[in-house]
Amino acid sequence: MSQTDLSPTLSHLDENGQVRMVDVGAKASTDRTAVAEGRVRLNAHAWGLLSAQANAKGEVLNTARIAGILAAKRCAELIPLCHSLPLSFVGVDFSADDASRTLTIRATSRTHHQTGVEMEAMMACSVAALTVYDMCKAADKGIIIEQVRLLSKTGGKSGDWRND
């Protein structure tokens, strides 16, 4: 049975179940993009402070944006088997829903390389959410970070994928 006939496997485990870094040396470099999204839910008091930019630690969303970008750039230092990638772009955007007091974070990462940027987009989204928590926790220790997930990826051998 050929490898293409098998079900998907855990690529970071060898045939003996031992941890390994995936060898991407023979893979072609292609344009790759990944988009991740997550949500941060706050109580009414913290939401009011965030919405009014009245947080004592400074402008929350710009700080979270920069933290997310920095996190994507340092992803390989924190996730043991990630490859260091030359990122051509990292963007972190926010949208607010006053009715549910929810901040949606969307992170996009791009590269032209031999492996994808899904982890970088997820890392950017996660650290941006954690930064919002850090900057708003004095007003709400019960902040909920939820639904951090990959929305889409393009490029590479496996092609395009969307989380429908």
Side-chain angles (χ1 to χ4, degrees):
M1 187 182 292
S2 73
Q3 184 65 26
T4 57
D5 296 332
L6 299 175
S7 297
T9 61
L10 299 177
S11 60
H12 288 88
L13 299 179
D14 67 14
E15 60 278 352
N16 298 315
Q18 297 299 305
V19 176
R20 68 177 177 122
M21 185 177 214
V22 175
D23 184 354
V24 297
K27 292 173 77 176
S29 290
T30 63
D31 290 329
R32 297 162 185 264
T33 300
V35 179
E37 182 179 89
R39 295 191 180 123
V40 181
R41 285 193 291 141
L42 300 96
N43 69 20
H45 179 66
W47 184 258
L49 293 172
L50 176 67
S51 299
Q53 302 299 324
N55 190 288
K57 289 189 178 181
E59 211 289 317
V60 176
L61 299 186
N62 278 333
T63 304
R65 177 178 289 115
I66 296 301
I69 292 168
L70 179 59
K73 292 167 59 174
R74 300 187 77 175
C75 187
E77 295 176 31
L78 298 172
I79 306 295
L81 302 176
C82 278
H83 294 84
S84 296
L85 297 179
L87 296 171
S88 56
F89 174 77
V90 178
V92 178
D93 296 303
F94 305 94
S95 59
D97 180 5
D98 289 327
S100 65
R101 298 185 312 270
T102 301
L103 180 69
T104 299
I105 302 168
R106 184 168 286 195
T108 303
S109 297
R110 284 195 204 79
T111 191
H112 183 85
H113 201 58
Q114 296 159 298
T115 190
V117 288
E118 296 93 342
M119 295 307 298
E120 288 73 11
M122 300 264 296
M123 180 71 78
C125 187
S126 298
V127 171
L130 288 167
T131 301
V132 171
Y133 180 95
D134 181 49
M135 294 185 73
C136 296
K137 69 185 179 215
D140 180 8
K141 300 250 188 304
I143 294 169
I144 298 171
I145 296 171
E146 60 188 2
Q147 298 182 351
V148 176
R149 62 195 175 119
L150 184 67
L151 291 181
S152 64
K153 65 87 114 188
T154 62
K157 181 180 174 185
S158 64
D160 297 352
W161 179 86
R162 292 207 178 284
N163 189 348
D164 296 325

